[in-house]
Amino acid sequence: MTITTDEHRAHEYADLPRLMSLMTGDEKHGPAATSTLDVLWVLYDRVLRVTPERTADPGRDRFLLSKGHGPMAYYAVLAAKGFLPVEWLPGFGGYDSPLGHHPDRLLVPGAEIGSGSLGHGLPIGVGTALGLRAQGLGDPAVWVLIGDAELDEGSNHEAIAFAGPAGLDRLHTVVVDNSSASHARPGGIAARFEAAGWSAATVDGRDHTALYEAFTAPHPGRPHVVVARVEPKNA
């Protein structure tokens, strides 16, 4: 029997809970991990132009996990896609494991940045997009995944305010909204970006079709943000 591409994808996705279950130990950010699972899967499965063989290719897309606290879903997706061995997962968080509670770009294959401190990823994404532009590399896309609570940090608002007028149309941000921000206004995340000149979409963060359509929507001349709403952190 021949297995189709869609069937193979479905099998890989269905295996993610098992991969996540291999990571045990003292993990403090379970909801942070599970909130990102579907966003990460759709990006790595259908959108990002990067493979384990292309992690050093200047023409690759860059994915920056700013929401680096609780990276179990990230590690599970990287393992499912062959960036790192599945055998590493049970050691998650161990003293001698490369898979720390915050990703380390020098230890985790495929990780572009070390992350976990709130508010750093989007400014780094802006700098990455500017650097690629300065090198004449107009094809690679830059993707940054942040949590809604990171919008409590002023550094992100500086990045948002700069990127729109700078016309960084290769910059994409996904905000996983699990209602954990301290200073949020309901429905206001997309409006913050739109006011700064970004293209914006708000979708169900568990709906793979809606995520894919939002991720691939055209946005000429403007950076693009997708707000992915998931169940509240404390529900």
Side-chain angles (χ1 to χ4, degrees), residues 49-51 54-62 112 132 139-141:
R49 296 171 301 172
V50 62
T51 64
R54 294 189 63 194
T55 56
D57 182 353
R60 73 191 183 282
D61 287 348
R62 273 71 166 174
E112 296 281 355
L132 291 169
D139 192 43

Side-chain angles (χ1 to χ4, degrees), residues 84-96:
L84 57 87
V86 171
E87 291 75 20
W88 286 8
L89 299 180
F92 166 65
Y95 176 77
D96 58 352

